[in-house]
Amino acid sequence: MVSKTTQPERKKPATSDVVGTAILGAVGAFALIMGFGYGFLEEDGQVGPGFLPVITGAFILAASLTEIARMYLAHGERSTSSFMGLAETVEEEAKAAVGRTGEPDEEEVDTFGRTSSERNWAIVKVFALLFVALLLIPVIGLLLSLTAMVLAIVLWVERKPLLPGVLTTIGALAVAYSIFVLALGVPVPQGILGLI
């Protein structure tokens, strides 16, 4: 008599996960369609105004469809959890493995050594820096404004050392300038100073 091997039971994903991912996919599809309306490429082969929305929309749509397929095809008890849920589960398992789960006096600290209040303030700081960067665009231009924002996030929010933070920021500026200004020829706002 041949015994049948039982495969892990597929669990139905949470409706909220599927709906949320489908909404994200719909946003990607909308950006994709609207981008083609603006023109993907110009007649002379240069990048059109709809190039970036088409590429971004296609990526979001493909990622959303892939995630929905993963939710339905995944096996085991973790099939219903999102990526962040999986990360939290793994973190809890790691804490249990080292015996840290039963310490009520110790405040919850993530893998970067931040408490819950520090994580919450980090979000507020990033949005404040984004707002300031938007206000600086008419004065110093888009690229310099975003570069200053990246530098502030690296040094103030992430608390990285000065030299690696400055080098990371210069690298980000060089990559953005190379891609958007030199390679694609996208006109970026230069601001009143007209530096970059």
Side-chain angles (χ1 to χ4, degrees):
M1 192 169 148
V2 179
S3 63
K4 293 182 180 179
T5 58
T6 59
Q7 292 185 353
E9 180 184 331
R10 286 188 180 145
K11 296 197 176 191
K12 186 177 177 184
T15 305
S16 60
D17 288 345
V18 175
V19 170
T21 307
I23 290 172
L24 190 60
V27 170
F30 180 75
L32 177 70
I33 293 167
M34 293 301 291
F36 275 119
Y38 286 115
F40 185 67
L41 294 175
E42 298 290 330
E43 292 179 8
D44 55 356
Q46 286 191 340
V47 173
F51 181 82
L52 194 57
V54 167
I55 297 299
T56 306
F59 175 77
I60 291 171
L61 178 61
S64 299
L65 293 176
T66 303
E67 177 63 12
I68 289 173
R70 185 206 61 81
M71 282 189 246
Y72 279 103
L73 298 176
H75 295 285
E77 66 180 78
R78 289 184 178 160
S79 63
T80 59
S81 62
S82 64
F83 177 76
M84 290 307 296
L86 177 61
E88 289 172 2
T89 304
V90 170
E91 187 176 354
E92 289 299 321
E93 289 174 359
K95 285 182 181 179
V98 295
R100 293 180 51 196
T101 54
E103 299 177 11
D105 296 333
E106 183 179 327
E107 190 173 356
E108 280 291 321
V109 177
D110 65 6
T111 55
F112 299 106
R114 294 181 180 165
T115 63
S116 177
S117 63
E118 288 174 333
R119 288 190 300 270
N120 293 339
W121 274 109
I123 294 170
V124 173
K125 289 176 184 178
V126 168
F127 278 109
L129 289 171
L130 180 61
F131 181 72
V132 170
L134 290 173
L135 293 177
L136 287 176
I137 290 174
V139 179
I140 62 174
L142 178 68
L143 290 178
L144 288 179
S145 176
L146 293 179
T147 301
M149 182 185 77
V150 169
L151 181 63
I153 289 173
V154 169
L155 296 179
W156 183 43
V157 178
E158 295 297 323
R159 298 184 197 141
K160 300 295 180 189
L162 180 64
L163 183 60
V166 170
L167 293 177
T168 301
T169 305
I170 291 171
L173 173 63
V175 168
Y177 185 80
S178 299
I179 291 173
F180 293 107
V181 177
L182 297 179
L184 298 177
V186 176
V188 293
Q190 294 183 341
I192 296 170
L193 300 179
L195 300 173
I196 293 182

